Amino acid sequence: MEKELYTFDDLTRLNDLTMMHYAAPIIVLSVVGEWLYGVYKNRNTYHPTEFVSALTIGGVNAVMGAMLKLWLFGLALVIYNMVPWAIPRGWVGFVVCFVAVDFCRYWAHRIAHEQRFWWATHVTHHSSERMNFSVSFRTGWTQHIKFIFFIPVPLLGIDPFTFFICHQVAVLYQFFVHTELVRRLPKPIEYIFVTPSHHRVHHGSNPGYIDKNYGSTFIIWDRMFGTFEPEREQVKYGLTKPVSTFNPVYLVFHEWMDIWEDMKHAKTWKERFLILYKPPGAIVTEHQRRSQHEQQAIEPVRQQSIDLTPVQQELGKV
């Protein structure tokens, strides 16, 4: 059977394959239901300002995704047309594609935690100190450059339309694992698939939870590559260095700004390389060490000021 080739005009079919308008009502109902349940149980599930910030970040990302869709899957189309083989469309091709997409998502996600350059595209997603469905909206606006990690998919001979469908299913699945409503699922499901329990661990800043459970749909990759960790203790969400603002622009770009500042003070190209590709938090320059020491010196004074009563603070101004 001769391989079917595609043109850029065919990419207009991606609009007919978009699932978001079908999924949107379910997403809205899930968020509202989770919020109402939190109110009923008197839990601090949602913070109003943080929720608006997450919606803003997610809204901008949705617009960017729509604008870049033709370019990114146009690249996939070119690669697919170039390779001399093809995996036939159908349920077998869909299964192969979905597994391939999920495998690529594992490594893209893992590298985004292990190298600071890629962490800057992902840190926005981890800055919340709560776990709820809206956290899934908090994806960095620069995350689209991670599309390069998915080039193996069209290289396998998977057409861009099957790729697009599987990509959407994987993204939508991720929405439903961002919650505390679901505690544990039956053991066979917990063994194979990423569950809310697994993903709560991934968002934890507890020492034993950091850089664990990278899986998107299948947790088997973490079990295979030694990054799996079950939920054992109460999860403390957020970054090890918390971000004290809900400003969506800052949440998206603060790590890029920090990288730029460190790059300006780097003395050699080796230092610049280490800044970009060492793990986040690694101190590789004298500037970073000095900044950390200054912060440590300031922190006790700041904490002492916080501990003062209002009267003591006023007296201190005299």
Side-chain angles (χ1 to χ4, degrees), residues 161-179:
F161 308 104
T162 303
F163 180 13
F164 181 62
I165 293 171
C166 291
H167 167 71
Q168 289 182 96
V169 172
V171 170
L172 290 172
Y173 182 87
Q174 275 289 290
F175 169 81
F176 293 102
V177 299
H178 289 87
T179 185

Side-chain angles (χ1 to χ4, degrees), residues 13-277:
R13 291 159 55 186
L14 293 177
N15 295 325
D16 299 327
L17 298 174
T18 300
M19 301 177 181
M20 188 50 64
H21 50 285
Y22 298 111
I26 300 173
I27 291 172
V28 171
L29 287 174
S30 298
V31 170
V32 172
E34 185 182 47
W35 170 69
L36 290 174
Y37 185 79
V39 172
Y40 172 71
K41 289 291 187 177
N42 197 27
R43 294 177 181 173
N44 188 24
T45 307
Y46 282 84
H47 184 287
T49 308
E50 184 177 40
F51 178 66
V52 172
S53 177
L55 283 180
T56 302
I57 292 171
V60 172
N61 229 320
V63 172
M64 292 181 65
M67 293 173 60
L68 293 171
K69 178 173 62 179
L70 294 180
W71 291 92
L72 297 178
F73 286 92
L75 174 63
L77 181 148
V78 169
I79 295 171
Y80 168 80
N81 283 346
M82 287 175 56
V83 297
W85 51 79
I87 295 177
R89 300 183 72 178
W91 72 267
V92 173
F94 181 87
V95 170
V96 172
C97 179
F98 193 82
V99 172
V101 166
D102 201 65
F103 184 74
C104 291
R105 285 178 68 87
Y106 170 86
W107 283 106
H109 195 179
R110 180 169 176 171
I111 292 170
H113 278 254
E114 295 180 347
Q115 295 183 357
R116 193 178 175 195
F117 174 85
W118 297 106
W119 173 243
T121 71
H122 184 59
V123 64
T124 310
H125 187 61
H126 281 267
S127 55
S128 176
E129 295 181 357
R130 294 171 180 80
M131 175 57 82
N132 55 56
F133 287 132
S134 74
V135 172
S136 64
F137 305 154
R138 299 165 66 114
T139 50
W141 299 337
T142 55
Q143 65 157 341
H144 303 283
I145 62 176
K146 290 191 290 187
F147 193 82
I148 65 170
F149 292 107
F150 294 87
I151 288 177
V153 176
L155 281 175
L156 287 173
I158 296 170
D159 68 88
F161 308 104
T162 303
F163 180 13
F164 181 62
I165 293 171
C166 291
H167 167 71
Q168 289 182 96
V169 172
V171 170
L172 290 172
Y173 182 87
Q174 275 289 290
F175 169 81
F176 293 102
V177 299
H178 289 87
T179 185
E180 290 189 315
L181 292 181
V182 180
R183 301 313 300 174
R184 296 292 178 91
L185 294 172
K187 287 186 177 180
I189 296 176
E190 292 273 346
Y191 190 83
I192 298 172
F193 296 97
V194 173
T195 66
S197 176
H198 298 148
H199 205 64
R200 286 193 293 270
V201 168
H202 177 70
H203 276 262
S205 58
N206 314 47
Y209 288 168
I210 295 174
D211 295 341
K212 299 295 183 180
N213 298 359
Y214 296 114
S216 179
T217 301
F218 299 117
I219 200 67
I220 53 173
W221 311 123
D222 290 283
R223 297 184 186 278
M224 290 171 60
F225 299 116
T227 52
F228 174 72
E229 182 67 29
E231 187 177 23
R232 303 179 189 276
E233 58 181 323
Q234 180 64 39
V235 182
K236 180 182 178 183
Y237 302 110
L239 304 171
T240 54
K241 182 183 176 183
V243 179
S244 57
T245 180
F246 295 140
N247 183 315
V249 177
Y250 184 84
L251 289 173
V252 170
F253 292 111
H254 71 91
E255 183 65 16
W256 289 113
M257 293 187 293
D258 288 346
I259 288 175
W260 175 250
E261 192 65 25
D262 290 335
M263 292 284 281
K264 285 196 303 183
H265 290 85
K267 297 177 180 178
T268 66
W269 284 105
K270 180 180 178 181
E271 278 190 340
R272 293 185 179 94
F273 179 84
L274 293 175
I275 288 169
L276 290 174
Y277 297 108

